[in-house]
Amino acid sequence: MGSDRRVSRRSFSRWSLAGLLLPAGACRAGVEQRGVAGTSSPPERSKVVVARDEKVRSGRSRLDEARVLDLLDRSLQALYGCDSPSEAWRRVAGLGKVIGLKVNCLAGKGASTHRVLVEAVCERLQQAGVPAKNLIVWDRLSSDLESAGFRINERGNKPRCIGNDIYGYDSELMAYGRVGSLVCNTLTRRCDAVINLPVLKDHSIAGVTIALKNFFGAIHNPNKYHLNVGDPYVADAYMLEPIRTKARLHICDAFNVQYEGGPSYLPQWSWPYNGLLVSADPVALDSIGRRIIEEKRAAEGFPSLKDQKREPTYIATAADKDHRLGIADPGRIDVVEV
Amino acid sequence: MTVDKTSRAPLLDQAPGDLLPAELLGRHDGGKEALPALDRRGFLKAAALPCLACGLGGAAVFIPRLQAARAKVDESRFVREARFYEKQPYKKIKCVLCPRECVIDDRERGYCGARENRGGTYYTLVHSRVCSAHIDPIEKKPFFHVYPGTTAFSIATAGCNVNCKMCQNWEISQVRPEQVRSVYLPPRELAALARQNGCKAIAYTYTEPVIFYEYMVDSADAGHAEGVKSVVVTGGYINRKPLEELCRHVDAIKVDLKAFSEKYYEEIVNGKLKPVLDGLVTIKSRGMWTEIVYLVVPTLNDGDDEFRGLAKWVKAELGPDVPVHFSRFHPEYLLKNLPPTPLKTLERAKAIADSEGLHYVYLGNVPGHPAESTYCPRCHKKIIDRVGYLVRSVHIKKGRCEFCNQEIPGVWGS
Ligand code: SF4
């Protein structure tokens, strides 16, 4: 990334204090949802943390770094059921030795993952012990990353920031269901785990694009998979082994929600939601994210996605007996507001 | 996608390291992958590379492996405003080149991956962006009634508007243009190279030429200025208006009719059958020479009813003189679980089509089989003797059988 961000003294001391007060492993058992992808026995319930802060903006559109950090801390703490954010972040840091951060920058500034959020995640992971060079911020194209405000970086003691156009794709064709694709080397060869950082957006073809669909940015041929409102393609692509096994945590950037006109950035339909959606279950996160978009659309007088013939049925498909990627039924999802 | 079914794509013959370069393999040396322009010297030098596909009968083959230099590439020279699209509100566009009719948001691409919306204007990204080039016998396309025994300067750009599970050339058809090595080969240069290499025609093949429509039409015009014909090898998935215009620019169109059922098109091709049938009728109605290839895939499109339905339809809608090639399938891409087509199945298909009254029914990918040759429908003598792609003799004069003077349809030239 562009800035070689160091841990600020203020945040570091706050953290250190928290760390001292808590024994390791103080998170409550049974609260964390691990990646349920493709397992034969998905959990009975899933949890999605919805964290909002009306004062997260320091200016008209600028995000306040300290408040973003605070939102993140509260979200992770609530997700893992820990008594301190430092403990929660230690769990995140334990997901892998090299951690990828999959952002979504296709729409450029305005409807892409905010750099402030990504920097905050990197900062916390470094504090939790992950060396900066073991963090890889990535998306499909380097030019997309740059257009969203990121700076490409391949070396030095900084997080890597790079597009698939530079690291390339694995030469082994992977297939599941109706999908056959090459998966990017960042995911197959360089990362042990991935934190998914999608954006909460309407999508003109697939209904919505949130956590599941963000991994279209990991395959070489996403343009082939928007048929039939993306169903079952989105779910099938997520079933590809490197995606299914390495995507472990989903932190959805919902500071601005594009509730109509997506995936492009159209400011007239961009809603300052000022929040994050966090889950270990991408299906549950998509289900709740979709509900938020639908409610806003209704409030603004737009037809439902179903009425527009673009209901994102791939979310339910991702939860079916063939995929078992998580829970789509809102009745089985605990929404925790912080 | 469209496949030159009798051959493998040129890039497939290369070493793995050459197979998926650029974005697909990524960069491991810190340099930037280059797509250098192909100047005439470089191209001719490339032409001197060993014939990598001679085993398949290529008269001469050259492959543009032009990656010596690593320089920042100017991609803008491949980018031209696309034809056949409509502007929509909020910078969306609707592409009407093919029946898919993609509606595309700003900064997004269509299904084919070769066209991109930039701020409400639609662009082709593959004009003059050649990812594969060979000199092939024209029989390899296959065209059996078009200038037999000549060669075609055969080219492709990356991308396709369908996604066939049995695609032989998926490494170039199912990728984006920036994901494979390409060379810059503008139409006049292409036409000149075809002429200098003694090719009768330029063939647009290997991937799907519909998605490089603008380049194809410009190249066909440039070729005609050099006395070089143009032949198209396509899946026929194209809308009527652009197809009618294409017919004014090219000399022959071979259509891969992948099956005679909508189910197969939906499940295996990711497309629709009806527009392809409509396209064939349009091609015929414009007086354009056409041949049909039907790749017979075991268990999926090899039923008697399907063969018979196809033959009846061809005879009724296009006439009995349109050649039909039943071609052997080899396991590829996403259909590796099926065996190659048994010879008996192909012979059954031919027998059914013959019995329905089609005059020119061939078998493909079975070198040495008698059904590779052309027989006069009246005197039944062998009038073009073929073994593989090699034409051993031609007994057609001024478009007529030398033995009985029966008119033989095709594009024979002088
Ligand atoms: S040519 Fe490409 S962009 Fe245009 S409609 Fe066909 S698939 Fe879509």
Side-chain angles (χ1 to χ4, degrees):
Chain A
M1 270 183 312
S3 62
D4 186 12
R5 225 159 164 260
R6 305 260 176 235
V7 180
S8 71
R9 176 169 292 190
R10 177 175 55 84
S11 59
F12 187 74
S13 53
R14 200 174 54 174
W15 258 53
S16 303
L17 185 63
L20 282 173
L21 291 174
L22 270 170
C27 300
R28 281 179 287 281
V31 185
E32 175 192 12
Q33 282 105 49
R34 298 297 303 268
V36 290
T39 57
S40 54
S41 52
E44 287 299 306
R45 302 188 68 80
S46 272
K47 183 199 280 187
V48 176
V49 176
V50 178
R52 297 179 75 179
D53 179 357
E54 293 307 320
K55 294 184 179 150
V56 76
R57 286 164 206 277
S58 53
R60 208 165 60 88
S61 58
R62 258 182 69 86
L63 293 173
D64 183 296
E65 293 172 28
R67 283 188 174 271
V68 170
L69 273 169
D70 187 57
L71 261 186
L72 259 179
D73 288 347
R74 286 194 276 132
S75 306
L76 269 295
Q77 193 178 342
L79 180 70
Y80 290 122
C82 299
D83 292 327
S84 81
S86 61
E87 189 59 31
W89 280 104
R90 252 180 262 157
R91 294 188 66 152
V92 180
L95 293 176
K97 189 162 175 260
V98 178
I99 298 178
L101 306 174
K102 170 65 179 78
V103 294
N104 185 324
C105 298
L106 185 61
K109 273 190 179 145
S112 294
T113 311
H114 285 87
R115 183 174 138 178
V116 172
L117 173 63
V118 178
E119 287 177 339
V121 174
C122 287
E123 178 174 329
R124 286 301 192 231
L125 288 171
Q126 287 173 69
Q127 288 169 341
V130 182
K133 64 180 171 51
N134 285 2
L135 297 170
I136 306 176
V137 179
W138 60 282
D139 202 357
R140 201 167 53 93
L141 293 173
S142 299
S143 57
D144 285 351
L145 285 158
E146 287 173 324
S147 71
F150 293 86
R151 200 177 311 147
I152 302 306
N153 175 53
E154 287 185 72
R155 43 181 67 90
N157 192 27
K158 296 177 185 176
R160 307 296 185 244
C161 180
I162 207 134
N164 296 341
D165 50 331
I166 295 180
Y167 280 166
Y169 292 84
D170 201 291
S171 56
E172 184 193 341
L173 184 71
M174 298 187 192
Y176 183 88
R178 299 207 67 167
V179 164
S181 295
L182 305 176
V183 178
C184 63
N185 283 328
T186 305
L187 190 53
T188 59
R189 298 186 193 180
R190 293 178 183 257
C191 299
D192 307 309
V194 170
I195 299 173
N196 186 21
L197 290 146
V199 183
L200 189 50
K201 286 204 284 190
D202 168 79
H203 192 286
S204 64
I205 301 171
V208 295
T209 171
I210 316 174
L212 290 164
K213 192 172 176 299
N214 197 29
F215 282 96
F216 269 18
I219 59 178
H220 84 288
N221 55 351
N223 45 301
K224 298 292 177 191
Y225 302 135
H226 288 83
L227 305 175
N228 193 40
V229 204
D231 188 13
Y233 304 96
V234 177
D236 285 354
Y238 200 100
M239 288 296 283
L240 299 180
E241 199 262 354
I243 300 174
R244 181 170 52 81
T245 59
K246 292 186 179 179
R248 306 289 293 280
L249 174 64
H250 308 268
I251 301 174
C252 176
D253 180 334
F255 293 119
N256 301 322
V257 176
Q258 190 72 47
Y259 60 92
E260 163 70 12
S264 301
Y265 173 54
L266 292 173
Q268 65 271 41
W269 298 313
S270 178
W271 170 35
Y273 187 78
N274 300 322
L276 298 172
L277 273 57
V278 181
S279 184
D281 178 345
V283 185
L285 195 151
D286 276 17
S287 184
I288 299 305
R290 180 238 170 127
R291 192 168 75 186
I292 291 169
I293 287 176
E294 292 272 31
E295 285 171 0
K296 180 64 176 171
R297 290 177 61 82
E300 297 292 330
F302 285 100
S304 71
L305 297 171
K306 186 174 185 181
D307 287 347
Q308 289 200 325
K309 297 193 171 30
R310 53 188 184 101
E311 183 183 15
T313 50
Y314 67 78
I315 299 174
T317 301
D320 71 15
K321 65 177 175 28
D322 294 328
H323 295 80
R324 297 176 187 270
L325 290 168
I327 291 175
D329 174 8
R332 289 169 55 207
I333 300 170
D334 298 319
V335 177
V336 179
E337 295 185 2
V338 296
Chain B
M1 66 149 265
T2 300
V3 188
D4 183 353
K5 289 195 170 54
T6 56
S7 70
R8 292 169 64 81
L11 290 175
L12 295 178
D13 293 319
Q14 298 184 39
D18 292 321
L19 186 61
L20 300 170
E23 187 184 344
L24 284 185
L25 281 183
R27 171 162 64 79
H28 302 288
D29 61 359
K32 195 97 178 163
E33 192 67 50
L35 300 172
L38 183 57
D39 62 21
R40 182 166 303 192
R41 238 176 95 223
F43 209 97
L44 294 175
K45 205 169 145 202
L49 286 170
C51 172
L52 295 181
C54 285
L56 293 169
V61 176
F62 57 84
I63 297 176
R65 301 167 60 176
L66 302 166
Q67 303 302 304
R70 283 180 173 269
K72 183 103 179 155
V73 177
D74 175 15
E75 300 240 333
S76 65
R77 62 190 164 171
F78 304 124
V79 178
R80 304 276 167 88
E81 185 168 356
R83 300 193 54 205
F84 304 106
Y85 78 94
E86 297 161 3
K87 297 201 179 214
Q88 295 198 335
Y90 307 110
K91 296 184 184 170
K92 285 184 195 230
I93 67 93
K94 180 180 181 182
C95 178
V96 291
L97 174 56
C98 91
R100 209 169 281 287
E101 302 204 338
C102 303
V103 175
I104 301 155
D105 290 277
D106 187 18
R107 298 169 66 107
E108 299 266 8
R109 292 189 194 178
Y111 182 89
C112 56
R115 292 163 180 270
E116 186 169 280
N117 179 352
R118 295 183 177 175
T121 302
Y122 207 39
Y123 293 94
T124 167
L125 308 178
V126 291
H127 197 287
S128 308
R129 193 174 196 164
V130 173
C131 69
S132 186
H134 274 206
I135 295 174
D136 286 338
I138 203 160
E139 284 74 17
K140 197 168 162 184
K141 306 298 106 190
F143 279 107
F144 277 15
H145 289 232
V146 179
Y147 305 118
T150 64
T151 54
F153 195 104
S154 307
I155 56 149
T157 73
C160 185
N161 59 353
V162 292
N163 184 4
C164 302
K165 285 187 175 174
M166 67 292 188
C167 185
Q168 297 176 70
N169 299 342
W170 69 268
E171 284 99 336
I172 53 174
S173 71
Q174 301 304 321
V175 301
R176 293 172 171 230
E178 68 275 17
Q179 292 173 333
V180 287
R181 271 184 214 171
S182 299
V183 294
Y184 179 58
L185 187 57
R188 289 219 317 238
E189 192 86 356
L190 167 61
L193 281 166
R195 185 177 52 75
Q196 286 159 17
N197 283 281
C199 297
K200 185 77 184 171
I202 300 166
Y204 311 93
T205 182
Y206 303 130
T207 56
E208 173 48 68
V210 168
I211 63 97
F212 59 90
Y213 185 95
E214 297 81 358
Y215 179 45
M216 173 168 56
V217 165
D218 291 350
S219 298
D221 291 350
H224 286 141
E226 293 271 355
V228 178
K229 308 285 184 188
S230 271
V231 298
V232 182
V233 177
T234 174
Y237 206 53
I238 179 172
N239 278 342
R240 185 187 176 107
K241 202 170 152 201
L243 178 57
E244 284 178 344
E245 184 176 328
L246 181 66
C247 289
R248 292 198 288 273
H249 293 268
V250 301
D251 301 280
I253 299 177
K254 190 217 84 179
V255 174
D256 281 317
L257 184 58
K258 294 161 195 290
F260 201 63
S261 81
E262 285 290 359
K263 186 168 182 284
Y264 183 97
Y265 263 82
E266 189 192 322
E267 292 174 2
I268 308 297
V269 177
N270 287 290
K272 289 190 164 61
L273 169 64
K274 181 155 187 317
V276 180
L277 298 180
D278 292 346
L280 275 162
V281 171
T282 299
I283 291 168
K284 189 70 185 162
S285 73
R286 310 303 286 190
M288 173 67 45
W289 180 255
T290 189
E291 301 188 22
I292 292 171
V293 164
Y294 185 104
L295 183 74
V296 182
V297 182
T299 72
L300 297 180
N301 66 354
D302 62 349
D304 284 5
D305 290 350
E306 206 166 343
F307 293 146
R308 197 169 300 284
L310 165 79
K312 280 181 189 290
W313 182 88
V314 170
K315 189 177 177 194
E317 300 294 331
L318 308 177
D321 286 339
V322 169
V324 174
H325 306 246
F326 289 106
S327 200
R328 180 179 232 168
F329 157 86
H330 290 283
E332 292 283 356
Y333 189 36
L334 299 170
L335 280 187
K336 286 197 173 145
N337 55 328
L338 293 176
T341 319
L343 183 57
K344 275 204 304 209
T345 306
L346 294 171
E347 289 174 335
R348 175 166 52 85
K350 176 169 165 52
I352 290 171
D354 284 342
S355 73
E356 289 298 328
L358 298 189
H359 291 160
Y360 304 99
V361 182
Y362 299 101
L363 298 190
N365 288 349
V366 282
H369 195 282
E372 286 182 317
S373 293
T374 302
Y375 301 85
C376 173
R378 189 156 86 184
C379 70
H380 306 294
K381 292 221 167 90
K382 193 186 279 187
I383 49 177
I384 304 178
D385 185 14
R386 296 184 189 85
V387 176
Y389 307 128
L390 182 69
V391 174
R392 295 204 293 203
S393 63
V394 178
H395 298 285
I396 297 172
K397 270 228 172 93
K398 294 185 178 163
R400 292 185 175 273
C401 170
E402 268 185 10
F403 305 107
C404 72
N405 207 34
Q406 164 75 19
E407 189 178 345
I408 307 296
V411 185
W412 309 113
S414 51

